[in-house]
Amino acid sequence: MQPTTFDYQNGHGACRIGRGWCAGHHGELFQGAVAGEHGMRRCLMTLPCDNFQSSVSFFPDSSGELRVDPPHKAKSRRAVQYSLDALGFPHLGGVIVVRSNIKESKGYGSSTADCVAAALAVADALRVKFTDEELARLVVDAEQASDNVMFSDAVLFAHREGVVLDDYATPVPRLDLVAIDCEPDRLIDTLDSAPAPYSWKDLQYFEVLITALRRAVRTHDLPLLGQVATASADLNQHVLPKPGYADMRRLARERGALGVAVAHSGTVMSVLLDPADPAVEHKIELLQLDAMRLGLPSTRLRTRGAHAHRRIA
Amino acid sequence: MSSHTATALLHAFRARLVPLSDNLIAAAFPLMKIFPAAFCVARARQDGLISARSTIVESSSGTMALGLAMVAHWSGYPLVIVSDQACDQVLARRMQDLGARVEIVDGPAPVGGLQRARLDRVREICAQGEEYWWVNQYDNTSNPAAYAAFAAQLAGECGRIDCLVGTVGSGGSMCGTADYLAALFPDLHVIGVDTFGSVLFGQPDRPRQLRGLGNSLLPRNLDHTRFDEVHWVSVQEAYTATRRLHQITSLFCGGTSGAAWMVARHWAEQHPGKRVVCLFPDDGHRYVHSVYDDKEMHAHGHWLPELPAAPREVRDPRDAADAWSSIRWGRRSYAEVVEEPCRLTATAMG
């Protein structure tokens, strides 16, 4: 017999309707790899962005079955199942409602945000809390490769293992961006893209970039951050070329921007600007005009600052 | 020795970054060449060029030989160093103490001089069997590739860098460091320091008194298109500047460091607001009885009462002579500058 209602107060333990929320991102400030004891470890640091978010509600019941709405959010369903397993309630069922304004298959980290929000909703329903590290592992298990949106501080994140390689102990500095979709008609499935075949020489360059990245984040050195993002994009362009990159690089230079950040599992690229630049509004207008001339859609955005980027609603 | 201990030892040889003025930072290495030595050996091991029964061979009469002696000693490889009379006794004794075999060639080859004689002997040794592996710092791409850790140190400790100044011998340190830094700072201004009579940047070959920079052969590791400026410095200027560097800053550096410092200080003064990093490749211990000995300095006429305030600028490398000279190299190839010196392009003048 399928139960149609669920007694949240007196039902199974201390269950309640759980809610979770997580922001998306706007591509990578850094993407590369470091040498590890057992081969290379791929890692990244995303450009967190509050304009995009996913919120998940979890209505637990004793059906033993998990249903998700919309039905294609299979990764969210998996994240809920793994969370329930991890918390010792593998047989609990329920309805998972995912509501997100993050475009899918563009490189904005929609599925990671969904998964993080889903895991947080489960934790909320069971009145427990995951640590950032537990959350990272769960989400990587659920979607195989994830990004670092679950962390409030900037981290260098091994996205295929769910491990933090370096914690910068401060959020990514605030940046203004003009996000341009270089292939508006194309969708990319993260799992379809093979891991980048970096050489040992690429790893040498990444070593330089990672030390510069740490300095840039810790000292809020925006020009250096822009140089790291551009250098990272340059190196990845050699390995996995993306259409439109040369144009973005040229626009960034011509308009006096800080640099370019590329969404490696998508089609968007962001021109980075200093919010404290007196000419920033003008530069944004010009860049949006430039994008229009290239026939590409653009959006102006601001990265997340020091405030919370995810919460249990 | 475990690889962790070797890594820790290598770490102890990192450059000290010393601010010499508002916009000039010295990167003073105790022995810079230990980094390419360690990296060349590590890469050769990973690429299967050497095995547990290999013997390492190199031609050098300077710090590369000492660096290799230390690395070979740590990692348990026998080492043969082919050198000439320029190899001083202290250096030879240190290498022998670390278990290296030091061979001194009899004299110069009829064509190609001492360098040719040394390379001929290296080829002879390597022909004895497959277990002999020649490092070949001049052409081995692992030499420039070794400088990522140093470039990372610079970017991490200094942030933005506008100008890199250093002496050139194999091209490894300058081209390698500039290559890694230019990934971050594409406008990096790169200044190479050479000496008169070195063929590296188009001077005719002739015997040189200043060792540790310059070359009689063109190494493949020298990428001329990395350089915005090239300076030529005499032995007198280099040694006097090394002493002046010591007297002013108390940094006790080898005889080529003064040459780099003289050039870097001038550029830094001319470009306030630009951050300059200057490479000092070794410390002064080897030079106690030469550069740091007043009697020796005067006896060889190496002491200058006054250092030149600025270089004499030339348009053709063959016009550089006698005293500190410079050229706007403009990231051109060797052929563009040396074979067509009159065609000075707009970029070169920029």
Side-chain angles (χ1 to χ4, degrees), chain A residues 29 45-48 153-154 170-175 217 225 303-305:
Chain A
L29 276 174
M45 188 175 106
T46 52
L47 196 51
D153 283 337
T170 179
V172 176
R174 241 175 200 287
L175 293 166
V217 173
L225 192 61
T303 62
R304 183 175 70 217

Side-chain angles (χ1 to χ4, degrees), chain A residues 37 200-201 204-205 207-209 211-212 215 221 224 227-228 230-231 234-235 249, chain B residues 4 39 43 145-146 148-149 151-152 155-160 179-180 183-185:
Chain A
E37 278 182 30
W200 64 266
K201 192 76 195 286
Q204 296 275 101
Y205 288 104
E207 183 185 348
V208 182
L209 265 50
T211 38
R215 182 191 171 89
D221 184 337
L224 187 61
Q227 276 158 326
V228 172
T230 309
D234 281 350
L235 286 164
R249 191 89 158 65
Chain B
H4 284 291
F39 198 76
R43 285 300 324 161
E157 292 187 36
C158 309
R160 190 200 80 237
D179 182 47
Y180 288 120
L184 272 177
F185 313 118

